[in-house]
Amino acid sequence: MLEVSRLISIIYFLLHIARTWTIPQVKKVSNLKGHTERCTDTIFSPVQNLIATVSADRTAKLWDSQGSLLNTFEGHLDRLGREGHSRNVYGLAFHPDGSLAASCGFDALARVWDLRTGRSIMALEGHVKFYFYGYHLATGGEDNTCRICNLRKRKSLYIIPAHSNLVSQVKYESQEGYFLVTSSFDMTAKVWSGRDLKLVTTLSGHEVKVSSVDVSNDGQSIVTVSHDRTIKLWTSSSSDKEHAMDMD
């Protein structure tokens, strides 16, 4: 069986098919066929050579690296659309140990799945961005807050009144969880202490909505992406921009 680390990220098409390729040879390995609408996101599991896809057909699917379908998750099918949305499932994340996954959709619902049983174990209304850290799940949504949920107790532990507009992304520093970063349509990103969840600093500088944020593996840099067509790189030790790059 091919190692997932040797597969290029899945490329998805309007033809409802996702494909995997080896690297660096760029040789096609498999077609992932089974969705009835376009694929909207793909992600590799951190363990077990598994791949997950989500689709506008309102399902998530789990595959092995050879393209065999293992399971289909249909928890978003029973939700009513909001303001005419098509109820696409468009986001996905794995827990680091590969036992859980979270999916989100235009039904304004995030679901946490137990991949061993195929069952949904938690549903989060209004929160559609998420990040696993240990047995905690950080989520963000349209109520402008960030929630920290305990996966063992299956309940929300903390609610951070993080922003003045929709929270577009949440990310923990991945090594020790020293800090949490949120981005928002209020044109800022914010860094929060992982210990007491207090605000450390606000990253201001984008001219319009901040759509995404990420943290480097060593925790020393933060990157933000905005609708102002720029990517900004920040050091984690200060609020000063290190680099800014325009996107043509």
Side-chain angles (χ1 to χ4, degrees), residues 142-154:
E142 60 186 10
D143 61 2
N144 310 342
T145 69
C146 174
R147 299 179 195 171
I148 308 299
C149 301
N150 186 302
L151 296 172
R152 285 174 168 167
K153 297 181 179 179
R154 302 184 185 182

Side-chain angles (χ1 to χ4, degrees), residues 2-241:
L2 286 171
E3 295 294 330
V4 166
S5 60
R6 298 181 63 92
L7 295 177
I8 197 169
S9 295
I10 297 176
I11 303 171
Y12 39 88
F13 301 91
L14 295 179
L15 298 178
H16 322 156
I17 299 172
R19 292 175 179 169
T20 59
W21 308 77
T22 60
I23 51 175
Q25 299 91 348
V26 192
K27 180 181 178 182
K28 187 175 72 173
V29 175
S30 62
N31 289 326
L32 309 183
K33 297 181 180 180
H35 286 296
T36 58
E37 299 288 345
R38 68 185 183 280
C39 295
T40 54
D41 198 8
T42 60
I43 190 169
F44 290 109
S45 168
V47 297
Q48 297 180 324
N49 289 349
L50 303 180
I51 303 162
T53 59
V54 291
S55 167
D57 65 11
R58 307 187 296 279
T59 68
K61 293 182 182 293
L62 190 67
W63 316 76
D64 66 22
S65 60
Q66 297 299 316
S68 297
L69 179 63
L70 303 177
N71 209 341
T72 297
F73 305 93
E74 299 182 337
H76 291 269
L77 285 169
D78 58 351
R79 301 291 301 174
L80 292 177
R82 178 174 296 187
E83 297 179 1
H85 284 307
S86 61
R87 296 181 292 172
N88 298 4
V89 184
Y90 65 87
L92 194 66
F94 276 106
H95 187 278
D97 69 8
S99 65
L100 302 173
S103 62
C104 61
F106 283 136
D107 53 13
L109 186 75
R111 285 191 181 273
V112 180
W113 304 88
D114 185 331
L115 298 180
R116 294 160 294 194
T117 64
R119 299 186 64 179
S120 173
I121 63 171
M122 184 182 294
L124 303 167
E125 293 278 357
H127 277 218
V128 294
K129 292 295 181 180
F130 36 72
Y131 190 81
F132 288 105
Y133 181 74
Y135 287 99
H136 292 86
L137 178 70
T139 71
E142 60 186 10
D143 61 2
N144 310 342
T145 69
C146 174
R147 299 179 195 171
I148 308 299
C149 301
N150 186 302
L151 296 172
R152 285 174 168 167
K153 297 181 179 179
R154 302 184 185 182
K155 68 177 184 179
S156 176
L157 296 179
Y158 306 101
I159 299 177
I160 307 171
H163 291 273
S164 61
N165 206 329
L166 177 148
V167 177
S168 57
Q169 186 63 275
V170 292
K171 286 292 178 71
Y172 265 104
E173 181 272 315
S174 61
Q175 298 300 315
E176 300 291 339
Y178 287 132
F179 61 87
L180 171 73
V181 186
T182 59
S183 63
S184 171
F185 282 8
D186 67 6
M187 301 186 291
T188 70
K190 295 184 178 182
V191 182
W192 309 85
S193 168
R195 180 175 59 86
D196 57 15
L197 300 177
K198 291 184 178 180
L199 180 64
V200 175
T201 190
T202 298
L203 308 180
S204 301
H206 286 292
E207 297 176 358
V208 292
K209 303 172 182 178
V210 181
S211 56
S212 188
V213 66
D214 207 349
V215 181
S216 64
N217 288 337
D218 62 8
Q220 297 302 304
S221 299
I222 297 170
V223 63
T224 54
V225 181
S226 170
H227 288 204
D228 63 12
R229 301 180 63 81
T230 66
I231 299 171
K232 297 186 187 295
L233 183 65
W234 317 72
T235 61
S236 60
S237 59
S238 77
S239 59
D240 295 330
K241 295 188 292 293

